[in-house]
Amino acid sequence: MPLDQIEEESEMGFLDHLEELRWHIIRSLIAIVVFSIAAFIAKSIIFHTIILGPSRTDFWTYRMMCELSQVLQLDALCIDDLPFTLQSRQMTGQFTMHITASFVVGLIFAFPYAFWEIWRFIKPGLYPKERNATRGATFFVSVLFMIGVSFGYFIVSPLSINFLAGYQLDPSIINEFDIISYVTTLVMLVMGCGLLFQLPIVVYFLTKAGLLSPSLMIRFRRHAIVVILLLGAMLTPPDPFSQVLVAIPLTALYEIGIFISKRVTKRELSTEIIANE
């Protein structure tokens, strides 16, 4: 076969892959747009109930903390006042935030489908052994993402908003936050936790690639706990209860990562033994 024909077929194959990727991305964007439009239409539910929920004392997390304070007889846990008001200081502030928040909500709800579409493009390029090893990737990634988003929304965000709302340099300074600042903070905390909860998946693939081992994770376990406590201190009010409340799930994720790394390493060793025999 002439060289120019081989190059032409190779180029056409590459273009075909690009075309396939383009359609996967288009379908993912369509899903995001559909959910975003639905969120845009359901303005009262998305904003009043969901986005502005952590800014009111009747939010689920604050009510549970008050009930817990009665059981533990710790009045400090009960949050009955959030000393701040929300404002829109720009002419297009509310409309712009309406569009932005709707897109973020659409992205969160469409994430499982969007990831499935991208995974459909990646999966055919894997070896049969790698396909078997990554079976259920879409399910686990989506579940961990949703758990992380829920953790960020119901735990991290209310505690952080309560701390930031009550923090004052001087009593004469009134906390009047712009709606853009409030929503941006909420989105960063929620999406950050959603990505942070992908730690077990990252550990799995790094162990499969030989870049991470259970012994290494165990050796740096104490360092990881210190980092987790620092994260808890940065994301929550400066009280031990809130820090522990955030640190426990993150520590559990690290321990799950060690368990996953051990299983992957053990499986790889068994495969090598069988292959050598």
Side-chain angles (χ1 to χ4, degrees):
M1 181 180 296
L3 182 60
D4 57 348
Q5 187 175 352
I6 296 177
E7 292 178 351
E8 183 179 355
E9 290 187 359
S10 176
E11 183 180 357
M12 289 299 295
F14 176 73
L15 293 177
D16 290 340
H17 282 298
L18 284 181
E19 180 69 14
E20 184 179 357
L21 176 61
R22 185 174 73 91
W23 280 106
H24 283 295
I25 294 176
I26 289 175
R27 286 192 290 267
S28 300
L29 292 177
I30 289 174
I32 295 173
V33 169
V34 169
F35 279 103
S36 298
I37 292 174
F40 188 88
I41 295 173
K43 178 176 64 174
S44 60
I45 297 176
I46 296 300
F47 269 86
H48 180 78
T49 305
I50 297 178
I51 294 179
L52 297 180
S55 68
R56 298 190 300 270
T57 55
D58 61 348
F59 188 59
W60 180 85
T61 304
Y62 302 139
R63 289 189 283 108
M64 292 301 103
M65 291 180 66
C66 284
E67 293 182 6
L68 183 61
S69 68
Q70 296 177 0
V71 175
L72 301 178
Q73 296 183 352
L74 295 173
D75 295 336
L77 293 179
C78 186
I79 299 172
D80 54 6
D81 182 36
L82 292 172
F84 75 96
T85 58
L86 291 176
Q87 296 183 352
S88 178
R89 296 185 176 89
Q90 300 178 16
M91 182 70 71
T92 59
Q94 294 196 50
F95 180 71
T96 302
M97 190 46 55
H98 188 188
I99 296 176
T100 303
S102 299
F103 174 78
V104 173
V105 172
L107 177 63
I108 291 174
F109 280 98
F111 177 83
Y113 176 80
F115 181 82
W116 178 69
E117 281 288 350
I118 301 302
W119 186 249
R120 284 177 60 197
F121 173 76
I122 297 174
K123 190 175 181 180
L126 302 177
Y127 293 106
K129 179 182 177 181
E130 294 173 337
R131 292 184 189 179
N132 293 330
T134 56
R135 186 176 300 171
T138 302
F139 172 78
F140 290 110
V141 168
S142 301
V143 169
L144 287 173
F145 179 77
M146 290 304 176
I147 293 176
V149 166
S150 301
F151 177 74
Y153 178 73
F154 287 105
I155 304 297
V156 177
S157 294
L159 295 177
S160 300
I161 290 172
N162 172 60
F163 169 69
L164 296 173
Y167 188 84
Q168 283 184 311
L169 295 174
D170 187 85
S172 63
I173 303 175
I174 301 175
N175 284 330
E176 297 178 347
F177 303 137
D178 189 83
I179 184 63
I180 296 177
S181 175
Y182 171 83
V183 175
T184 301
T185 302
L186 181 65
V187 168
M188 287 179 60
L189 293 173
V190 171
M191 296 297 289
C193 289
L195 296 177
L196 191 62
F197 269 61
Q198 299 300 316
L199 177 62
I201 302 297
V202 174
V203 169
Y204 176 83
F205 283 104
L206 289 180
T207 304
K208 289 287 292 182
L211 301 176
L212 193 64
S213 65
S215 59
L216 184 64
M217 294 188 68
I218 293 173
R219 187 189 314 163
F220 287 97
R221 175 187 276 148
R222 286 179 293 182
H223 302 79
I225 292 176
V226 172
V227 173
I228 288 172
L229 290 175
L230 290 175
L231 283 174
M234 289 187 295
L235 295 176
T236 61
D239 64 89
F241 176 78
S242 300
Q243 294 177 17
V244 171
L245 194 64
V246 172
I248 287 177
L250 298 181
T251 304
L253 282 175
Y254 191 84
E255 295 298 326
I256 292 173
I258 293 177
F259 174 76
I260 291 174
S261 185
K262 287 181 178 179
R263 289 290 302 271
V264 173
T265 303
K266 184 178 179 181
R267 189 177 301 173
E268 292 291 329
L269 289 175
S270 300
T271 304
E272 290 180 4
I273 293 172
I274 295 174
N276 292 333
E277 292 179 352

